[in-house]
Amino acid sequence: MFRTMPLIPALLLSACSLTPGMDMNAENNVSELELPVMKGGKMVKEKTRIIPITADLIIERENARQQAVNNLPPVDISQATYRIGPHDRLQITVWEHPELNDPGGEKIMPELAGKVVGDDGMLYYPYVGNIHVAGKTVSEVRTLLTSELSKYFKKVKLDIRVLSFQSHRAAIVGEVKTPGIQAMTETPLTVAEAISRAGGVTQDADMSNVALARDGKLYKIDVLALYEKGGSTQNLLLKDGDVLNIPDRKDNKVLVMGEVGRQQALQVNKGKLSLSQALAEAYGLDFNSSRPGEIFVFRPGDMTPEIFQLNAESADAMILADQFALQAHDTVFVGAAGVTQWSRVLNQILPSSFTSIMSRAAFMGM
């Protein structure tokens, strides 16, 4: 038993390098590990800088969010007027000249009635021949056709209407009741209108992170702000080729790990969850084992990882935590205090049998 005693300091010294459980050991304010990062269109490895959560950071991120809203395509109602395009079917009625109208009149099936605009945007009409109508409004085509027919007839009166809208379409996909392709008609197709035509959203829809793909760019739209706050800037006019995707909110979770009352995954409700709310939902910090100065937020991003750190040794840091918005797939990690790590080391290297020997040695006055 006396020979075992010199082993104790050696075990304890070797234990100093052990950190059982999870720990964040970052030097020089960068991540300990190299992380995959997208740079210049290529994947590279590099360490990520740890960004302190301060008032300046919160102001900077809020300004960037507002800028992103301002960068959305403008809602220009003047562009909502329907413009004729290829494959549209037009019904042209010339009063007092039945020979110019569709043979059979009302008896023709709607899908066969009228005249179809060609792929080149041209429309053929008797006496007039081919005229270019693509990109023009109904009113503009009416004026053009009236002018051309007036060369052959007196007091031409005609009417034009679109029987079948085929040239301009947008796709509505994701968490809507009837996803699919929607034709654009004389009624302006806005984001809200498109969702309504699709039967509304499902109960799993994430309305705060709707994505609009347009001309090779991706825009994030907060439709929830449109419905709850009247944010008209979010109600964009859709145009030909747009894809509107309403994502699933079930995957929008934040992981809370480390020295908290209860480690768990939290659902981001309506796109809103602050750092302080996440900590509260996890029953707060474990004051017996946590290190308040080491509260980290790991954000994977789209191959652009970020690491944030909150020093909550001062209680008023919780104000910053309440103003720091978390995002889906963030991980909140609370570090362990040194004494907690040391206690866990001892528990690992001193099994119960060895502890028993030490207890008997102490009893014998050693």
Side-chain angles (χ1 to χ4, degrees), residues 91-95 97 100-101 125 157-161:
Q91 184 180 57
I92 303 172
T93 303
V94 183
W95 305 108
H97 292 280
L100 297 176
N101 301 328
Y125 200 77
K157 297 180 180 179
L158 61 84
D159 182 47
I160 299 176
R161 69 186 183 98

Side-chain angles (χ1 to χ4, degrees), residues 65 205-212 218-225 234 244-249 251-253 267-272 326-329:
R65 188 189 69 82
D206 180 8
M207 298 292 285
S208 61
N209 287 299
V210 174
L212 172 64
L218 192 65
Y219 300 94
K220 291 293 185 180
I221 305 173
D222 188 356
V223 179
L224 192 64
Q234 308 295 310
L244 190 67
N245 180 27
I246 291 80
D248 189 333
R249 67 178 179 86
D251 192 39
N252 288 355
K253 293 184 178 180
Q267 183 77 49
V268 179
N269 184 29
K270 294 184 177 182
K272 300 175 182 178
L326 297 177
Q327 298 179 7
H329 310 297

Side-chain angles (χ1 to χ4, degrees), residues 18-33:
L18 300 176
T19 53
M22 297 182 64
D23 184 30
M24 180 68 183
N25 182 22
E27 297 180 358
N28 301 322
N29 291 325
V30 295
S31 61
E32 182 177 5
L33 300 177

Side-chain angles (χ1 to χ4, degrees), residues 63-362:
N63 289 339
R65 188 189 69 82
Q66 291 292 340
Q67 185 62 39
V69 172
N70 295 334
N71 287 337
L72 288 175
V75 180
D76 188 357
I77 299 299
S78 65
Q79 297 180 0
T81 304
Y82 186 81
R83 295 188 176 275
I84 295 168
H87 309 296
D88 281 345
R89 189 177 290 271
L90 307 181
Q91 184 180 57
I92 303 172
T93 303
V94 183
W95 305 108
E96 299 180 357
H97 292 280
E99 71 278 10
L100 297 176
N101 301 328
D102 289 329
E106 298 294 335
K107 297 181 180 180
I108 299 178
M109 298 178 63
E111 59 269 21
L112 299 177
K115 298 185 180 299
V116 179
V117 179
D119 291 332
D120 56 358
M122 304 297 288
L123 178 73
Y124 175 80
Y125 200 77
Y127 294 96
V128 176
N130 287 316
I131 58 173
H132 191 270
V133 297
K136 293 182 171 59
T137 65
V138 169
S139 177
E140 290 171 343
V141 175
R142 181 188 301 113
T143 299
L144 175 61
L145 198 56
T146 299
S147 175
E148 293 297 323
L149 287 176
S150 295
K151 298 175 182 179
Y152 307 96
F153 304 96
K154 295 180 179 180
K155 298 181 180 180
V156 175
K157 297 180 180 179
L158 61 84
D159 182 47
I160 299 176
R161 69 186 183 98
V162 182
L163 289 179
S164 178
F165 298 88
Q166 299 293 330
S167 60
H168 307 298
R169 298 185 173 194
I172 315 300
V173 299
E175 294 300 318
V176 289
K177 294 180 181 177
T178 55
I181 303 296
Q182 294 186 11
M184 298 181 182
T185 66
E186 292 172 336
T187 301
L189 184 60
T190 62
V191 169
E193 175 70 16
I195 293 175
S196 177
R197 289 190 195 177
V201 299
T202 68
Q203 61 181 2
D204 295 325
D206 180 8
M207 298 292 285
S208 61
N209 287 299
V210 174
L212 172 64
R214 170 181 292 179
D215 299 332
K217 295 182 179 180
L218 192 65
Y219 300 94
K220 291 293 185 180
I221 305 173
D222 188 356
V223 179
L224 192 64
L226 167 64
Y227 290 159
E228 293 187 348
K229 300 178 182 179
S232 59
T233 57
Q234 308 295 310
N235 195 23
L236 303 181
L237 281 171
L238 299 184
K239 69 176 189 177
D240 186 36
D242 282 353
V243 177
L244 190 67
N245 180 27
I246 291 80
D248 189 333
R249 67 178 179 86
K250 290 186 291 185
D251 192 39
N252 288 355
K253 293 184 178 180
V254 168
L255 302 180
V256 185
M257 307 176 68
E259 304 304 316
V260 291
R262 180 182 177 185
Q263 301 187 62
Q264 57 183 312
L266 301 175
Q267 183 77 49
V268 179
N269 184 29
K270 294 184 177 182
K272 300 175 182 178
L273 182 66
S274 70
L275 177 54
S276 62
Q277 289 173 326
L279 293 173
E281 290 285 347
Y283 299 97
L285 306 183
D286 188 334
F287 292 105
N288 294 320
S289 62
S290 66
R291 181 177 294 174
E294 294 187 357
I295 300 176
F296 296 93
V297 177
F298 302 96
R299 180 165 296 166
D302 187 13
M303 290 301 174
T304 54
E306 293 180 298
I307 302 176
F308 304 94
Q309 180 180 4
L310 175 69
N311 186 344
E313 291 181 349
S314 174
D316 53 8
M318 286 296 105
I319 297 178
L320 296 176
D322 186 58
Q323 295 175 339
F324 185 81
L326 297 177
Q327 298 179 7
H329 310 297
D330 280 355
T331 297
V332 178
F333 175 78
V334 180
V339 65
T340 301
Q341 296 179 4
W342 177 243
S343 174
R344 291 171 181 171
V345 169
L346 292 179
N347 289 335
Q348 286 195 355
I349 68 173
L350 299 179
S352 58
S353 59
F354 191 71
T355 303
S356 177
I357 293 176
M358 293 298 295
S359 298
R360 282 186 290 171

